[in-house]
Amino acid sequence: MPRHPEKGTEMSHFLDIHTTPQDELRAMIDQARAMKNARQGLPKGTPDAEQPLAGRMIALIFEKPSTRTRISFDVGARQMGGQTMVLSGKDMQLGHGESISDTARVLSRYVDLIMLRTFDEATLLEMAEHATVPVINGLTDASHPCQIMADIVTYEEHRGAPGGRKFVWSGDGNNVCTSWLHAAGQFGFDLTFTGPETLDPDAKAVEFARSRGSRVDIVRDPLVAAHGADAIVTDTWVSMHDPESARERRHNQLRPYQVNSRMMAEAKPDALFMHCLPAHRNEEATSEVMDGPQSVIFDESENRLHAQKAILRWCLGV
Ligand code: CP
């Protein structure tokens, strides 16, 4: 683990699930669940009993819109005694030609941790390379690891350990799907992708999951894919990084992969329905499924808070 050059304490970047040691991911999930349990029944603004982020300043930088990531990081850091600043990339010199490496070095003189949501994964990696404080991936076009850490917390609190279970991803093999594949490899579950060939998941992520012994199947028929699933997961048909011109074609391609009661009926009776949100209701999933008894979508949103608190602590070694 690298040392913080100024403070001499340990620090780690949280850039992706497949690049984070398996036992440390496990420890973060356990800590997230313990911290969540310790807060049961408390008003949201109540400080945690422990204040591990006291005296720490956290920069939350967004080059894309966000509701969950922005608010859950902000609230979570404050509950642990930290201070936060939410910044829009376009309002910084970063959005007007200042280099990423200079921005990283400057920010590192002011703040103790940088959370970045950006487009190109290369921007995140360059920020991490030049920052002397930890950097967290708050989503890039390539992956969304914080979301899937929250989703593992969610699955575990409803159904226990995900190891050996069958997760089905229906729709676009996008950045969220990539992080699910990384998690399959790290947490030992199988993943079946169902969607059109043109929107297949990232080949490297598939290879990673398989290299760790997870079974990854690609099945074009959504009802066949859903058979015997422990969880069915989907996401919007058009992601933030997709061109608006792709919308109509995407809808036509992905309509057969809508998660509806027919698809859920193919899964196990106790299968969960998962979606990271925001959703386009009655497009990628019907409202009947989203609001139905198998849906855990709002628990996933809540667990962003708890999972990211554990990630913040891990990054700072506190
Ligand atoms: N799921 C997710 O990352 O939500 P936001 O885009 O609202 O942050």
Side-chain angles (χ1 to χ4, degrees):
M1 191 180 285
R3 309 289 297 179
H4 189 297
E6 289 160 18
K7 298 195 173 81
T9 51
E10 287 182 340
M11 63 161 233
S12 303
H13 301 305
F14 185 74
L15 301 179
D16 259 321
I17 287 177
H18 68 306
T19 53
T20 303
Q22 208 170 25
D23 57 337
E24 298 188 22
L25 293 170
R26 179 72 259 158
M28 281 187 257
I29 297 291
D30 292 343
Q31 183 166 52
R33 294 190 65 187
M35 290 178 79
K36 178 176 182 177
N37 288 337
R39 287 193 62 83
Q40 288 309 308
L42 295 177
K44 310 292 185 295
T46 308
D48 285 349
E50 277 186 85
Q51 294 283 280
L53 264 59
R56 310 284 179 138
M57 181 62 75
I58 311 294
L60 306 170
I61 306 174
F62 291 89
E63 295 192 309
K64 292 181 179 183
S66 169
T67 296
R68 278 143 289 267
T69 307
R70 171 186 168 136
I71 298 169
S72 55
F73 264 112
D74 197 349
V75 171
R78 292 187 204 202
Q79 286 179 352
M80 295 192 292
Q83 297 181 68
T84 58
M85 56 180 74
V86 180
L87 304 161
S88 154
K90 70 177 180 337
D91 294 335
M92 297 168 64
Q93 297 292 6
L94 180 64
H96 300 273
E98 186 165 18
S99 72
I100 299 158
S101 60
D102 286 350
T103 303
R105 281 178 272 201
V106 169
L107 287 178
S108 299
R109 300 293 180 103
Y110 301 137
V111 304
D112 298 290
L113 183 144
I114 300 164
M115 192 290 313
L116 176 63
R117 168 169 287 195
T118 188
F119 293 86
D120 190 346
E121 185 183 34
T123 305
L124 175 83
L125 299 178
E126 195 173 344
M127 185 74 83
E129 186 185 342
H130 295 283
T132 56
V133 298
V135 174
I136 294 178
N137 176 357
L139 178 147
T140 71
D141 296 353
S143 64
H144 195 2
C146 290
Q147 177 66 52
I148 303 327
M149 291 294 280
D151 293 347
I152 298 298
V153 170
T154 306
Y155 188 85
E156 286 199 1
E157 65 187 11
H158 283 275
R159 295 287 183 266
R165 310 290 180 111
K166 174 180 174 179
F167 286 70
V168 172
W169 177 277
S170 186
D172 177 15
N174 65 8
N175 50 356
V176 180
C177 180
T178 294
S179 288
W180 269 107
L181 283 161
H182 293 159
Q186 295 285 45
F187 291 95
F189 57 85
D190 300 330
L191 191 141
T192 298
F193 170 86
T194 186
E197 195 174 348
T198 49
L199 299 175
D200 268 352
D202 178 67
K204 283 191 189 144
V206 171
E207 192 184 305
F208 171 78
R210 286 179 176 155
S211 75
R212 293 298 184 92
S214 297
R215 179 173 173 162
V216 179
D217 291 322
I218 296 188
V219 177
R220 300 293 169 212
D221 183 327
L223 297 183
V224 172
H227 189 71
D230 291 287
I232 297 186
V233 192
T234 190
D235 194 6
T236 50
W237 286 345
V238 184
S239 295
M240 284 184 275
H241 55 273
D242 291 321
E244 193 53 33
S245 57
R247 181 171 291 276
E248 191 181 335
R249 183 156 181 268
R250 283 292 180 98
H251 278 229
N252 291 335
Q253 282 181 298
L254 288 165
R255 201 160 287 122
Y257 299 96
Q258 180 191 66
V259 183
N260 50 32
S261 55
R262 211 166 144 230
M263 192 189 283
M264 291 303 294
E266 292 295 328
K268 287 184 181 160
D270 68 345
L272 298 181
F273 170 69
M274 305 184 78
H275 189 311
C276 65
L277 303 180
H280 290 87
R281 282 176 173 262
N282 299 312
E283 291 185 5
E284 69 269 19
T286 59
S287 279
E288 185 187 7
V289 169
M290 290 180 65
D291 297 328
Q294 290 164 278
S295 173
V296 291
I297 57 177
F298 298 112
D299 291 337
E300 292 176 77
S301 292
E302 178 185 340
N303 287 332
R304 294 295 300 278
L305 171 68
H306 308 295
Q308 288 158 191
K309 286 170 74 174
I311 293 168
L312 285 165
R313 293 187 71 163
W314 177 78
C315 285
L316 291 164
V318 294

